[in-house]
């Protein structure tokens, strides 16, 4: 007898419908799974067999064939355990086949028949709604995550027996209520008020947040670079619901959604260690998985001790910095993951860290300094808008009480500038100044004659590239937006030029 059960699988950050076909035919006992199953899918045979037995059902002693359609796409994960078990019971006549038409079924089985959570349920709930399914049957731990998707009934279950009784009509299940989402305001664990001194660095980070610009901070150890970077997400605009959904899908796929939190409410802050591989940073593996750049989507990617990262790891950042996504091509599939993030990098000026420090002498040779700075390629540095010198904090500033501007106050400034940009780019796919293409620069970055002369002088004296020229215009546009100015003025250009002054030192 043949039975069909609808389930789901992941392709990139999105899910697609998989039809689990179960056929029980006369013959010697055998269990075959086809449809390009990975190892975890093949191993479901043993889990399903034990779960059926320990739940009081009979495992068929015939020839069993499981087909996962579409059969030309590789399947992986443990979420097929429950649909396979339900399909076996439907093929034996225990579960009415007509009861399966309206539900998408997902879940991993324990050997005793309990259901365990699985990854990517949020994406599968979206696929279920798009496919027109009336409901979704998932493990209880995944119910709140799936219930975020509106217009889809999510039925939380704890055991295989509970699912069978529900499909038989012998038990009623109450759909999971839509979770009461927390306010999408940034958390208050850290605050810019705690940062003493570094007023220029704070100003630069406000500009970066307002325009979506990438930042590199160069300074001696203990200057506060990491402290500043960790507080950057607190001044970024709150996540919109669409952004929260995009980010949560990625975290659901990798199984990193916070406990008891079905939706990401804070912008991600990802600080990978400098020993990370290129696959860990950009994504990859035999079955491609999102990397740190995708986990930082709609948030901040912080690379501390930038020159300590492997050169090949840093170079793979070029595509996501330019395009906002990562494309991973393998023999079995080509997948794209979103990777629209703000890059914040920090580094010492030299191996010992004290080059240019007025109080401590640098012990590095010129060759060591050159080799250290050369670990960052010119093309990568050119893609970082704001290059910021962060000097050591003086004692008087450290001893003074922390009475600077709070993150909330700075965030209000950032949001006001972002609203201006939202109006400016309302009819385009861009959302902040950092993404402006060259044709927009002519329209929105018109310079006065004196501003043009200043920029020309800076280009010649600092030896800046054409890309650096565009970056200066974009930063100037953001500075003007923060001040509510429609036209770029000389002070805007002068301040923006300061943030490219490291070009001649590091390239």
């Amino acid at each position: 007898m043949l039975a069909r059960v609808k389930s789901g699988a992941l392709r990139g950050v999105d899910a697609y419908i998989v039809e689990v076909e179960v056929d029980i035919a006369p013959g010697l006992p055998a269990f075959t799974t086809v449809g390009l199953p990975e190892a975890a899918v093949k191993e479901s045979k043993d889990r399903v067999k034990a779960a059926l037995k320990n739940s009081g059902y009979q495992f068929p002693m015939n020839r069993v064939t499981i087909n996962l359609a579409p059969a030309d796409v590789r399947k992986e994960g443990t979420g097929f355990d429950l649909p396979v078990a339900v399909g076996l019971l439907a093929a034996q006549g225990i579960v009415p086949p007509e009861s399966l038409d309206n539900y998408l079924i997902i879940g991993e089985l324990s050997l005793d028949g309990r259901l365990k959570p699985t990854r990517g349920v949020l994406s599968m709930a979206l696929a279920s709604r798009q496919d027109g399914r009336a409901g979704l049957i998932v493990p209880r731990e995944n119910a709140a995550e799936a219930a975020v998707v509106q217009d889809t009934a999510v039925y939380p279950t704890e055991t295989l027996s509970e699912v069978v009784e529900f499909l038989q009509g012998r038990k009623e299940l109450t759909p999971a209520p839509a979770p009461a989402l927390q306010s999408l305001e940034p958390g208050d664990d850290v605050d810019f008020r705690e940062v003493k001194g570094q007023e220029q660095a704070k100003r630069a980070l406000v500009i970066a947040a307002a325009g979506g610009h990438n930042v590199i901070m160069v300074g001696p150890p203990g200057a506060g670079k990491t402290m500043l970077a960790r507080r950057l997400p607190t001044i970024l605009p709150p996540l919109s619901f669409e952004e929260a959904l995009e980010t949560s899908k990625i975290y659901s796929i990798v199984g990193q959604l916070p406990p008891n939190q079905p939706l990401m409410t804070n912008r991600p802050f990802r600080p990978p260690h400098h020993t990370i591989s290129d696959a860990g940073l950009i994504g990859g593996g035999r079955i491609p998985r999102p990397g740190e750049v995708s986990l930082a989507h709609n948030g901040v990617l912080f690379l501390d001790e930038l020159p300590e990262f492997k050169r090949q790891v840093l170079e793979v950042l070029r595509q996501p910095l330019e395009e906002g996504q990562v494309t991973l091509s393998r023999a079995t599939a080509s997948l794209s993951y979103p990777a629209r993030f703000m890059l914040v990098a920090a580094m010492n000026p030299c191996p010992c860290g004290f080059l240019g420090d007025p109080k401590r002498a640098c012990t590095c040779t010129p060759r060591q300094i050159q080799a250290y700075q050369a670990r960052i390629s010119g093309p990568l540095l050119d893609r970082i808008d704001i290059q910021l010198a962060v000097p050591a904090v003086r004692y008087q500033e450290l001893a003074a009480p922390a009475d600077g501007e709070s993150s909330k106050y700075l965030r209000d400034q950032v949001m006001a500038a972002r609203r201006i940009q939202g109006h400016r780019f309302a009819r385009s796919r861009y959302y902040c100044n950092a993404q402006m293409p060259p044709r927009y620069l002519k329209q929105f970055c018109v310079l006065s004659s004196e501003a043009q002369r200043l920029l020309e002088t800076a280009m010649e004296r600092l030896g800046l590239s054409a890309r650096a020229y565009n970056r200066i215009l974009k930063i100037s546009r953001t500075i003007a937006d923060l001040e509510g100015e429609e036209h770029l003025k000389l002070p805007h250009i002068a301040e923006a030029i300061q943030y490219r002054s490291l070009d001649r030192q590091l390239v």
Side-chain angles (χ1 to χ4, degrees), residues 32 34 53 69 90 119 147 176 185 220 239-240 245 258 261 290 316 337 362 444 452 457 473 480:
T32 305
V34 297
K53 176 184 174 182
R119 295 180 291 104
E185 289 286 328
L239 284 171
S240 66
L245 200 61
Q261 186 177 326
V316 297
Y337 293 108
C362 175
F444 300 120
Q452 287 180 343
T457 302
L473 291 180

Side-chain angles (χ1 to χ4, degrees), residues 68-312:
L68 306 176
D72 60 343
V73 181
R74 193 166 297 279
K75 320 295 187 312
E76 56 93 22
T78 57
F80 293 112
D81 291 3
L82 182 58
V84 167
V86 170
L88 286 169
L89 295 175
Q92 296 178 79
I94 298 174
V95 173
E98 61 274 9
S99 67
L100 304 175
D101 294 338
N102 294 325
Y103 301 107
L104 199 73
I105 302 177
I106 306 155
E108 177 184 341
L109 283 172
S110 297
L111 298 185
D112 61 358
R114 289 180 296 111
L115 295 183
K116 292 184 175 181
T118 187
R119 295 180 291 104
V121 168
L122 179 57
S123 296
M124 294 182 192
L126 291 168
S128 174
R129 183 180 66 178
Q130 186 176 3
D131 192 54
R133 299 286 144 187
L136 192 71
I137 299 176
V138 299
R140 185 169 296 278
E141 289 87 342
N142 291 127
E145 174 187 343
V148 169
V149 180
Q150 299 176 353
D151 303 323
T152 297
V154 178
Y155 296 96
T157 53
E158 295 184 349
T159 64
L160 173 60
S161 300
E162 191 176 18
V163 175
V164 173
E165 291 175 5
F166 172 67
L167 293 173
Q168 290 173 334
R170 296 166 49 201
K171 181 172 184 176
E172 290 291 330
L173 291 179
T174 303
L181 300 178
Q182 301 288 334
S183 170
L184 299 185
E185 289 286 328
D188 55 358
D189 295 339
V190 293
D191 196 286
F192 257 95
R193 191 189 299 274
E194 301 161 355
V195 181
K196 297 182 179 181
Q198 303 297 5
E199 297 304 321
Q200 184 181 13
K202 293 178 186 177
R203 166 69 174 173
L205 290 183
V206 169
I207 295 170
H213 303 289
N214 301 318
V215 183
I216 182 171
M217 295 182 285
V218 183
K225 301 185 294 294
T226 301
M227 190 177 188
L228 286 162
R230 288 190 178 278
R231 282 151 182 77
L232 179 59
T234 67
I235 64 173
L236 291 172
L239 284 171
S240 66
F241 181 78
E242 291 74 18
E243 288 177 323
L245 200 61
E246 286 179 358
T247 307
S248 300
K249 284 168 62 177
I250 300 171
Y251 278 75
S252 174
I253 287 168
V254 298
Q256 292 189 23
L257 272 179
N260 304 317
Q261 186 177 326
L263 198 68
M264 296 286 291
T265 57
N266 292 332
R267 291 189 180 272
F269 180 84
R270 303 294 300 187
H273 193 261
H274 62 259
T275 57
I276 193 172
S277 66
D278 51 353
L281 184 65
I282 216 75
R286 187 174 59 88
I287 301 173
R289 296 283 188 199
E292 289 291 332
V293 296
S294 295
L295 292 171
H297 181 59
N298 291 324
V300 175
L301 178 68
F302 177 49
L303 302 183
D304 200 5
E305 304 294 346
L306 187 66
E308 302 300 330
F309 285 79
K310 297 177 183 176
R311 180 70 174 258
Q312 68 207 44

Side-chain angles (χ1 to χ4, degrees), residues 471-486:
R471 303 292 187 201
I472 289 173
L473 291 180
K474 293 177 183 180
I475 296 169
S476 302
R477 181 66 269 170
T478 301
I479 295 171
D481 290 342
L482 282 168
E483 297 179 0
E485 297 285 353
E486 182 178 354

Side-chain angles (χ1 to χ4, degrees), residues 37 55 63 88 110 123 156 217 228-229 235 273 329 362 382 387 406 423 443 464:
S55 299
R63 182 175 183 83
L88 286 169
S110 297
S123 296
M217 295 182 285
L228 286 162
I235 64 173
H273 193 261
S329 297
C362 175
D382 246 3
Q387 303 164 358
S406 67
H423 178 73
Q443 182 178 354
L464 302 179

